Amino acid sequence: MLLVLDGLGDRPVKRGKTPLQLAKTPNMDKLAKYGTNGITYPLGPGVVLGSDTGYLSLLGYDPYQFYAGRGILEALGSGVKVYEGDLALRCNFCTIDGKFNVTDRRAGRPDDKTASELGKAIANISTKEFSFIFSHTKGHRGVLIIRSKSASPMVSDVDNHNVGPVTWSKPIDPSDGAKKTAEALNDWLRKAHQILKVHPINKERAKKKLPEVNFVITRGASMLVEGAPLKGATYSGMYGKSVKIQRFEERYGLKAACVAGGALYKGVAKYLGMDVIDVKGATGGFDTDLNAKVASAARALKDNDFVFLHVKATDVAGHDGDWQAKTKFIEKVDKAIAPLLKLKDTIIVVTSDHSTPCALKAHSADPVPIVIWGPEGTVRIDGVNKFDEVTASHGGLGRLSNKEVMPILLGIIGKAPMYGT
Ligand code: ZN
Ligand code: ZN
């Protein structure tokens, strides 16, 4: 059971303590006390990862080799139909002013109802050569599928992670397809803006002085080149011109399932050929039904050897710079995982994909804590008795990088390959 609290790692926010240090976490502390602990770098010292590359790394797939781009992961996770040759982009609803300056990258975080209604208004826009299919996923997030014989993933991101002038998409190789795709995408963005800015929802939001949800910024263009995700497929994108995925079960001999709310995490799981279990009430936000997710993950262990349970709101709080919210959510997760501690014959791992310090409101290269706990005869007990970034560093696992976590787990369950006789 791999429990990941997204963006958990932090830096001191009050009296020299991190949100995880401030939070009351009796269950995680119990795992720490009877388990083995350490700190782990997302990939290595000084490397800042996104969640997408963070999970590939944590699940033992070197992102430099296996990452094609974020778009296809979001598309797979959101349940949008993706066919061979489809180009997928991750989208943010955002706010721009009259001069095409992005003023809020998340349009004031619109609720699902608002964003999905606006998403419908721009769901299908086609030109002679390109079809654009937009789907809202969660909150301000969405996915754009570009379907065309000319589509190329070699186009630059419109979302540059900053406010300021819109950075229109540009071709990043000299091919005709890249040029056409960038032009068509920029056209679509302008058309979507024309539709969104006059939408009644935005008139209402303007009256209430809420940021208007009037533009879309895209990133991570990537393509399903060949095959089907659950059977192993080949992808391409600006980060990996051709990526052939060996399914998780083939790679490790472990049948695997994922429980997550957010599209990206489900997408990473599908990308690696894991089963994705949909849980009612799993939102990927603060309001997510943690009890339902934990129950569903525990049930999934009956038919699977490996379950990846993901919670997201720790990262959201980090991006918002809200350490109180982060601390509170950590405590909520801690309460909800009580049933996991009663599981028989189960190794439990609690860690994170990267740090999202409240002080930075962004991901950082800081390591995250990790605890591995299991029944008698599986893991050493190292004397650490609290689960947090600082105490964990005194533990028996020492300092790792996330790509070492799967090999360590395989070793613990007796599936590590033997070298020599
Ligand atoms: Zn993350
Ligand atoms: Zn994040």
Side-chain angles (χ1 to χ4, degrees):
M1 173 70 67
L2 172 66
L3 166 64
V4 184
L5 287 83
D6 204 296
L8 173 66
D10 213 301
R11 295 177 182 180
V13 292
K14 196 187 176 192
R15 299 193 311 268
K17 291 191 168 165
T18 67
L20 180 58
Q21 285 178 301
L22 291 169
K24 285 190 186 62
T25 54
N27 288 315
M28 292 184 211
D29 293 348
K30 204 179 210 176
L31 296 177
K33 190 171 174 191
Y34 297 104
T36 185
N37 300 266
I39 52 168
T40 172
Y41 281 94
L43 191 58
V47 185
V48 182
L49 293 183
S51 286
D52 42 15
T53 43
Y55 288 108
L56 288 177
S57 176
L58 185 57
L59 295 165
Y61 289 73
D62 182 349
Y64 292 121
Q65 186 185 347
F66 292 106
Y67 181 56
R70 176 138 180 177
I72 192 70
L73 299 172
E74 294 266 354
L76 293 176
S78 65
V80 172
K81 283 227 162 35
V82 185
Y83 299 99
E84 285 184 352
D86 277 359
L87 179 61
L89 296 93
R90 153 69 197 258
C91 301
N92 266 29
F93 272 126
C94 72
T95 307
I96 58 169
D97 64 14
K99 289 178 181 152
F100 284 90
N101 288 301
V102 177
T103 54
D104 184 336
R105 276 186 65 244
R106 301 183 182 92
R109 291 193 184 276
D111 58 39
D112 283 338
K113 192 166 166 274
T114 303
S116 103
E117 204 51 48
L118 289 164
K120 279 180 205 151
I122 55 167
N124 285 290
I125 301 175
S126 294
T127 60
K128 226 162 74 191
E129 214 178 340
F130 287 84
S131 296
F132 291 87
I133 302 128
F134 179 87
S135 309
H136 167 253
T137 56
K138 297 268 180 210
H140 60 278
R141 307 170 189 90
V143 171
L144 181 66
I145 298 285
I146 305 180
R147 202 164 282 159
S148 166
K149 280 199 175 65
S150 303
S152 160
M154 302 308 279
V155 293
S156 69
D157 292 346
V158 176
D159 182 1
N160 61 19
H161 293 273
N162 283 310
V163 293
V166 170
T167 45
W168 300 99
S169 186
K170 289 182 205 65
I172 49 176
D173 76 9
S175 69
D176 205 33
K179 191 167 162 256
K180 277 187 178 171
T181 305
E183 273 169 15
L185 173 59
N186 290 333
D187 269 356
W188 180 85
L189 295 173
R190 286 192 194 92
K191 277 182 196 150
H193 175 58
Q194 295 306 324
I195 294 168
L196 293 172
K197 75 173 184 186
V198 297
H199 196 286
I201 287 181
N202 276 323
K203 300 243 152 97
E204 233 4 77
R205 285 176 76 84
K207 263 191 231 154
K208 291 182 190 157
K209 302 239 181 297
L210 289 168
E212 288 177 46
V213 186
N214 62 6
F215 197 64
V216 175
I217 42 179
T218 61
R219 66 189 204 259
S222 37
M223 184 179 267
L224 170 62
V225 177
E226 198 186 3
L230 291 174
K231 296 186 178 123
T234 305
Y235 304 89
S236 76
M238 61 192 271
Y239 289 108
K241 287 213 167 166
S242 182
V243 177
K244 173 98 183 91
I245 295 293
Q246 184 188 26
R247 295 173 59 245
F248 191 89
E249 187 172 352
E250 273 170 49
R251 193 172 173 85
Y252 301 119
L254 300 172
K255 190 170 179 308
C258 164
V259 173
L264 174 65
Y265 322 100
K266 295 184 193 177
V268 171
K270 277 194 190 161
Y271 188 70
L272 303 180
M274 291 183 183
D275 269 340
V276 172
I277 298 163
D278 283 312
V279 178
K280 206 173 159 259
T283 61
F286 293 98
D287 61 346
T288 197
D289 188 341
L290 289 168
N291 295 327
K293 283 172 85 171
V294 167
S296 165
R299 267 198 308 277
L301 276 177
K302 293 199 174 87
D303 307 315
N304 291 279
D305 309 304
F306 185 98
V307 174
F308 165 32
L309 170 58
H310 178 267
V311 296
K312 170 70 179 162
T314 26
D315 182 57
V316 178
H319 283 289
D320 289 343
D322 187 344
W323 65 265
Q324 284 103 332
K326 193 166 180 177
T327 306
K328 230 167 103 186
F329 188 73
I330 293 167
E331 291 181 347
K332 211 171 142 190
V333 173
D334 189 78
K335 267 204 190 102
I337 65 164
L340 297 184
L341 276 66
K342 299 193 185 94
L343 290 171
K344 298 264 184 297
D345 295 326
T346 304
I347 307 284
I348 299 177
V349 185
V350 185
T351 188
S352 186
D353 53 338
H354 54 74
S355 297
T356 310
C358 294
L360 297 182
K361 298 185 179 181
H363 300 182
S364 75
D366 299 306
V368 296
I370 178 168
V371 57
I372 307 176
W373 173 93
E376 191 86 50
T378 53
V379 293
R380 293 177 185 157
I381 295 167
D382 60 12
V384 167
N385 55 18
K386 201 178 167 312
F387 183 67
D388 65 55
E389 297 92 331
V390 178
T391 320
S393 69
H394 304 296
L397 291 170
R399 196 186 86 171
L400 307 170
S401 82
N402 273 354
K403 63 187 170 190
E404 294 170 313
V405 171
M406 280 307 299
I408 287 172
L409 293 177
L410 292 174
I412 288 172
I413 62 170
K415 276 189 173 271
M418 187 168 174
Y419 179 60
T421 52

